[in-house]
Amino acid sequence: GATSAASHAAGATDAPGSAAGSTDPACALVTSDAVGTAGGFPVASYSGGGGTCIFQNSDRSKYLSVQLFTSQAAMATNLGLESSSEHIAGLGDDAFWTSGIGGLFVRKGDRAIEFTDPEFALSADTDTAPRDAMVTLARTALPNL
């Protein structure tokens, strides 16, 4: 499998600068334009491996990761955060926003995606704009899941 291709953490910032040829399935779930709109920055490059795709700005501190889960077992850790997160109704089979990590998790059957933007973790809990931007992004990805 491709799991050994990249076992780095989803928050890693050492992603290659350009990956126009990345074939990781996580990179095919959303467009760079949709990610840029959600993250509030133009995407300069993206790279993927091991089911995670990192969309980066030319300023490497600005990035948004998309992680693909293809089994219930793979998403078990993430599902453990659900009870302390905000449920999002009407998105996939199950969805929740975890403001502390700036992440939106969406499950559809035995597959799921998580969108994480570390800058959103710094926003106030009362600021719903980051969550709403991620929900919009998730809606564009769900048909591709």
Side-chain angles (χ1 to χ4, degrees):
T3 51
S4 61
S7 56
H8 64 275
T13 54
D14 60 348
S18 175
S22 180
T23 56
D24 194 278
C27 294
L29 295 171
V30 290
T31 65
S32 292
D33 286 347
V35 169
T37 298
F41 58 84
V43 173
S45 64
Y46 65 89
S47 61
T52 299
C53 192
I54 308 289
F55 291 84
Q56 278 191 307
N57 181 262
S58 53
D59 170 356
R60 291 189 166 298
S61 70
K62 295 183 184 299
Y63 64 92
L64 191 149
S65 71
V66 178
Q67 187 171 4
L68 174 64
F69 301 89
T70 55
S71 72
Q72 292 280 343
M75 63 182 88
T77 301
N78 299 70
L79 289 172
L81 297 171
E82 185 168 13
S83 62
S84 61
S85 302
E86 176 187 352
H87 180 73
I88 307 292
L91 188 60
D93 293 334
D94 187 22
F96 55 91
W97 168 251
T98 308
S99 59
I101 61 168
L104 176 69
F105 183 88
V106 182
R107 184 181 62 78
K108 181 176 159 185
D110 287 336
R111 296 168 69 82
I113 5 174
E114 184 173 52
F115 305 94
T116 309
D117 185 327
E119 286 201 337
F120 289 170
L122 304 175
S123 61
D125 287 350
T126 53
D127 181 4
T128 59
R131 179 200 68 206
D132 295 345
M134 293 293 228
V135 167
T136 299
L137 179 61
R139 289 193 196 288
T140 72
L142 271 173
N144 304 323
L145 186 59

